[in-house]
Amino acid sequence: MSSSDLRKPITARQLARLIGVSQSAVSRAYTPGASISSEMRRRILSMADSMGYSPNAIASTLSKRRSNIVGIVVSAMQNPFYPVLIEKLSRGLQQVGQQSLLFNLTHGADIKQQLAALRQYNVDAVVIVSAAPLSGAALSWATEGRTTIMINRTVPDSGLSSVCCNNAEGARAIADHFHALGRRRVAFVAGVPHASANLERQHAFIERLAELGMTLSASVAGGEYSYEAGYRSALEVGRAGHTEAIFFANDILAVGGLDALRDEAGLSVPGDVAVAGFDDIAMASWPRYSLTTFRQPLDAMVERTVQLVTGKAEPAETSIHLLPGELVVRNTTAGR
Amino acid sequence: MSSSDLRKPITARQLARLIGVSQSAVSRAYTPGASISSEMRRRILSMADSMGYSPNAIASTLSKRRSNIVGIVVSAMQNPFYPVLIEKLSRGLQQVGQQSLLFNLTHGADIKQQLAALRQYNVDAVVIVSAAPLSGAALSWATEGRTTIMINRTVPDSGLSSVCCNNAEGARAIADHFHALGRRRVAFVAGVPHASANLERQHAFIERLAELGMTLSASVAGGEYSYEAGYRSALEVGRAGHTEAIFFANDILAVGGLDALRDEAGLSVPGDVAVAGFDDIAMASWPRYSLTTFRQPLDAMVERTVQLVTGKAEPAETSIHLLPGELVVRNTTAGR
DNA sequence: TTGAAAGCGTTACCAC
DNA sequence: GTGGTAACGCTTTCAA
């Protein structure tokens, strides 16, 4: 118990010899449906327990050709949405016996080189949780035909499946909400301009504005999903004047924007300008911010992803799994 | 290029046969110091490239007995300090050719069962980034004598090495700072009561107060490191009255506390009460909070951890690697 | 320098 | 139900 033994762990073969059974028997004892008498299994497991034996997952991978490892590709995490998503995802995978191997993408560096490691470890599947620009070609090279799921993003013409919140629905809901509040001149603050989620929200929002006869008073891009970008962008929009409401492409932008509008531009929210975000991160519900937002169905998205990874949902059904979100109205869009 | 081939990747043997060399040669081509002619290596690598071959890391693990995988044990992440740490750590490991396998601990569930997977994958080392209660016994069982590093925590009598910020130094610096401001009645807000980092900060702070002849007006425990816990605790302390300064065990508590003090208790910070935290998370520097805090030397901690993992620093030297932090004075402790 | 062959610790298939 | 025996794809002796 107390010894920190550097000697290598006992193998199935040694354990088998110790009990006087075949090594195959040991393997069977650990294989759920295997044909083995319960007496034999009991004996083996009990001996294993007292000898501190547990099967070597790496060796098992080699022979089963399944690693029970999912590669998770992530990038910049200034956006608090991601850590939460990744934690939930990793826990969800763990529950179905899958481990998570993390791959960090560094912006600017050679994608192919960064994803090389992904090929070498026999991951069963790959989940992309990153807004970083990725070509379909690079992806299919890296994943080598393994099941690959993207969360909260799409890559056109890649044939890869995605699990997304209904961004367009959300953006329209925000537009409708602004309209119902009587705000007519509204602005949009983008995050990463070419990210698919950003584009979908932007297009649907602007389209809906037109349908409702509202005016897009300004449209700026923060360049990234961060507090600072939101802060800067809000000041830009604030200067534009006459804006009655701002839709930030996501919550962390909106939070930065709120601070800028109130504390630096001296505007009242929602008095002078209403504000809405997207995601519903924890901060959005902090009393200080109390941010109106469109909630992404995180748990459902993770659940669906896990199903796709384990093959319990048909990837063929639809390439893009669109899950419904929910408008959460808070103080930043209260009546004047 | 465009095909998403489900057929299994080419092996070293196939590649070798294709070129007309031995399989050993292929292996050598990928082994830095191996004795192989540069001509042979060139031929193999070029063929490998055009055939899309790359060595199977799992198989390599089995024969080399090194996986180049580090297990990272994490738990609750409401504290923004952790995602940042984990990202930096994972990137640092990646740079030295190590991958990160994530293990999530769920509070309350059976530790041993949760760490079982850790044993089965042949991780080269284990890094514990979690404040969750862990016994030395459970740990050494799970790690089976592999090098194990804990970040930002210690487990007494475990003999395991830790990389920590100098918590006592930081807590004393905060006390000194409060004293210099002329605040005499000060309070402490704890996070996870029995976490080692929390205890160290608490003890050093209170001790220093005594040395300086200051008064501990209140001491409450939030129970966890979260915004909500900070918010609640601040209200409790606020009611106690006569408190001139509050030291929160970390930044996320302090941020919650600030909102509570200002927006709910109607107190002015730093006018009525000064506030300090610990960590220097991103939020601490947001203009809205501008929180005085003690900065943990994240990069240095990660660097040291990577050195320990790769064996470039002697684990034997000191069991606890104490790295110096830095007091960062901001508006929450400005003069009245 | 190169090739052949013996592991590494499993699983899977085959007889019994 | 059980035990032998090939894989799995690589690294590492050992000879040549």
Side-chain angles (χ1 to χ4, degrees):
Chain A
M1 281 298 152
S2 66
S3 79
S4 77
D5 26 326
L6 277 172
R7 63 169 182 271
K8 45 191 179 183
I10 182 176
T11 73
R13 157 156 269 102
Q14 296 173 306
L15 183 68
R17 210 172 318 233
L18 222 54
I19 313 183
V21 298
S22 77
Q23 193 261 0
S24 323
V26 174
S27 175
R28 292 192 187 105
Y30 285 91
T31 310
S35 67
I36 181 178
S37 71
S38 54
E39 165 58 11
M40 168 83 91
R41 169 171 282 149
R42 196 195 51 68
R43 249 171 66 209
I44 293 179
L45 292 183
S46 104
M47 191 57 163
D49 189 48
S50 68
M51 295 301 294
Y53 168 81
S54 59
N56 180 327
I58 297 292
S60 157
T61 295
L62 194 56
S63 101
K64 279 202 303 195
R65 283 111 163 293
R66 300 195 73 248
S67 58
N68 287 354
I69 294 181
V70 174
I72 303 189
V73 177
V74 305
S75 59
M77 301 233 231
Q78 314 101 308
N79 181 356
F81 176 75
Y82 284 118
V84 175
L85 173 56
I86 290 162
E87 185 187 3
K88 281 182 186 282
L89 177 61
S90 169
R91 285 183 189 276
L93 289 170
Q94 216 165 280
Q95 276 178 359
V96 298
Q98 296 277 342
Q99 307 302 320
S100 312
L101 198 57
L102 225 51
F103 295 90
N104 293 93
L105 251 39
T106 299
H107 195 69
D110 180 22
I111 289 286
K112 213 164 160 176
Q113 193 185 319
Q114 295 190 62
L115 290 181
L118 193 52
R119 310 181 73 199
Q120 314 194 181
Y121 289 83
N122 270 350
V123 299
D124 289 350
V126 177
V127 179
I128 315 277
V129 186
S130 156
L134 279 174
S135 73
L139 264 184
S140 62
W141 172 82
T143 58
E144 288 190 300
R146 286 187 262 269
T147 50
T148 303
I149 324 276
M150 298 183 290
I151 303 192
N152 198 30
R153 70 171 292 166
T154 55
V155 168
D157 309 322
S158 65
L160 297 174
S161 34
S162 298
V163 173
C164 297
C165 158
N166 194 330
N167 289 307
E169 179 199 8
R172 282 193 295 265
I174 300 284
D176 289 345
H177 182 54
F178 283 166
H179 185 263
L181 292 171
R183 316 271 172 149
R184 291 296 176 266
R185 298 181 54 83
V186 303
F188 179 76
V189 173
V192 179
H194 297 297
S196 61
N198 186 83
L199 287 177
E200 289 168 22
R201 292 169 198 174
Q202 178 164 7
H203 290 158
F205 184 67
I206 293 180
E207 197 176 81
R208 189 69 180 145
L209 292 190
E211 291 175 14
L212 295 169
M214 296 163 70
T215 305
L216 183 70
S217 62
S219 178
V220 311
E224 55 174 30
Y225 289 124
S226 70
Y227 176 91
E228 290 76 13
Y231 199 95
R232 283 195 306 270
S233 306
L235 294 181
E236 240 176 278
V237 172
R239 274 189 228 106
H242 302 304
T243 292
E244 299 168 292
I246 309 177
F247 173 33
F248 290 84
N250 77 8
D251 283 355
I252 190 67
L253 288 172
V255 163
L258 276 175
D259 280 353
L261 293 171
R262 288 172 169 161
D263 299 343
E264 186 149 343
L267 293 172
S268 148
V269 176
D272 297 322
V273 56
V275 165
F278 206 109
D279 286 349
D280 197 27
I281 62 179
M283 249 175 257
S285 67
W286 290 2
R288 155 72 184 175
Y289 295 112
S290 189
L291 174 69
T292 290
T293 188
F294 194 80
R295 174 181 299 157
Q296 292 216 48
L298 260 189
D299 291 326
M301 288 164 70
V302 166
E303 188 184 6
R304 177 66 64 89
T305 303
V306 172
Q307 286 172 345
L308 286 167
V309 163
T310 55
K312 291 206 172 176
E314 286 301 314
E317 274 182 33
T318 34
S319 180
I320 297 187
H321 298 250
L322 230 48
L323 271 33
E326 181 186 359
L327 182 69
V328 180
V329 178
R330 298 203 181 91
N331 295 343
T332 54
T333 58
R336 315 210 192 205
Chain B
M1 282 299 152
S2 65
S3 78
S4 75
D5 25 327
L6 276 171
R7 61 168 184 273
K8 43 191 178 182
I10 182 176
T11 73
R13 158 158 267 102
Q14 296 174 305
L15 184 68
R17 208 172 319 233
L18 223 52
I19 314 185
V21 299
S22 78
Q23 190 262 353
S24 324
V26 174
S27 174
R28 294 195 184 103
Y30 284 92
T31 310
S35 65
I36 180 177
S37 70
S38 55
E39 164 58 13
M40 169 82 93
R41 169 170 282 151
R42 197 195 52 67
R43 249 172 66 210
I44 294 179
L45 291 184
S46 104
M47 191 58 163
D49 189 48
S50 68
M51 297 299 296
Y53 168 81
S54 60
N56 180 327
I58 297 291
S60 153
T61 295
L62 194 56
S63 82
K64 281 203 303 198
R65 281 107 167 292
R66 300 194 75 251
S67 58
N68 286 354
I69 294 181
V70 174
I72 301 189
V73 177
V74 305
S75 58
M77 303 233 229
Q78 313 102 309
N79 181 356
F81 176 76
Y82 284 118
V84 175
L85 173 56
I86 290 163
E87 185 186 3
K88 280 182 187 283
L89 177 62
S90 168
R91 285 183 188 277
L93 289 170
Q94 216 166 280
Q95 276 177 0
V96 297
Q98 296 277 341
Q99 306 302 320
S100 311
L101 197 57
L102 224 52
F103 294 91
N104 293 93
L105 251 39
T106 299
H107 194 70
D110 180 22
I111 289 286
K112 214 165 159 176
Q113 193 185 318
Q114 295 189 64
L115 291 181
L118 194 51
R119 311 182 73 201
Q120 315 196 181
Y121 288 84
N122 271 351
V123 298
D124 289 349
V126 178
V127 179
I128 315 277
V129 186
S130 156
L134 280 174
S135 73
L139 264 184
S140 61
W141 172 82
T143 59
E144 288 190 299
R146 288 186 262 269
T147 49
T148 303
I149 324 277
M150 298 183 289
I151 302 191
N152 198 30
R153 70 170 293 164
T154 56
V155 167
D157 309 321
S158 65
L160 298 174
S161 34
S162 298
V163 173
C164 296
C165 158
N166 194 329
N167 289 307
E169 179 200 8
R172 281 193 296 265
I174 300 284
D176 289 344
H177 181 55
F178 283 166
H179 185 263
L181 293 172
R183 316 272 173 148
R184 290 295 176 269
R185 298 182 53 84
V186 304
F188 179 76
V189 172
V192 180
H194 297 297
S196 61
N198 186 83
L199 287 177
E200 289 167 23
R201 293 169 197 175
Q202 178 164 9
H203 290 158
F205 183 67
I206 293 180
E207 198 176 80
R208 188 70 181 143
L209 292 190
E211 291 175 16
L212 295 169
M214 297 162 71
T215 306
L216 183 71
S217 63
S219 178
V220 311
E224 55 174 29
Y225 289 125
S226 70
Y227 176 92
E228 290 76 13
Y231 199 95
R232 282 194 307 269
S233 305
L235 293 181
E236 239 176 279
V237 172
R239 273 190 229 106
H242 303 303
T243 292
E244 298 167 291
I246 309 178
F247 174 32
F248 290 84
N250 76 9
D251 283 355
I252 190 66
L253 289 171
V255 164
L258 276 175
D259 279 353
L261 293 172
R262 289 171 167 162
D263 300 343
E264 186 150 343
L267 294 172
S268 149
V269 177
D272 297 323
V273 56
V275 165
F278 205 109
D279 287 349
D280 195 29
I281 61 179
M283 249 175 257
S285 66
W286 290 3
R288 154 72 186 176
Y289 295 114
S290 188
L291 174 69
T292 290
T293 188
F294 194 80
R295 174 181 299 159
Q296 293 216 48
L298 260 189
D299 291 326
M301 289 165 69
V302 166
E303 189 184 6
R304 178 66 62 90
T305 303
V306 172
Q307 285 171 346
L308 287 167
V309 162
T310 57
K312 291 205 171 176
E314 285 301 315
E317 274 182 31
T318 32
S319 181
I320 297 187
H321 298 250
L322 229 49
L323 271 33
E326 180 187 359
L327 182 68
V328 180
V329 177
R330 297 203 183 91
N331 295 343
T332 54
T333 57
R336 315 209 195 208

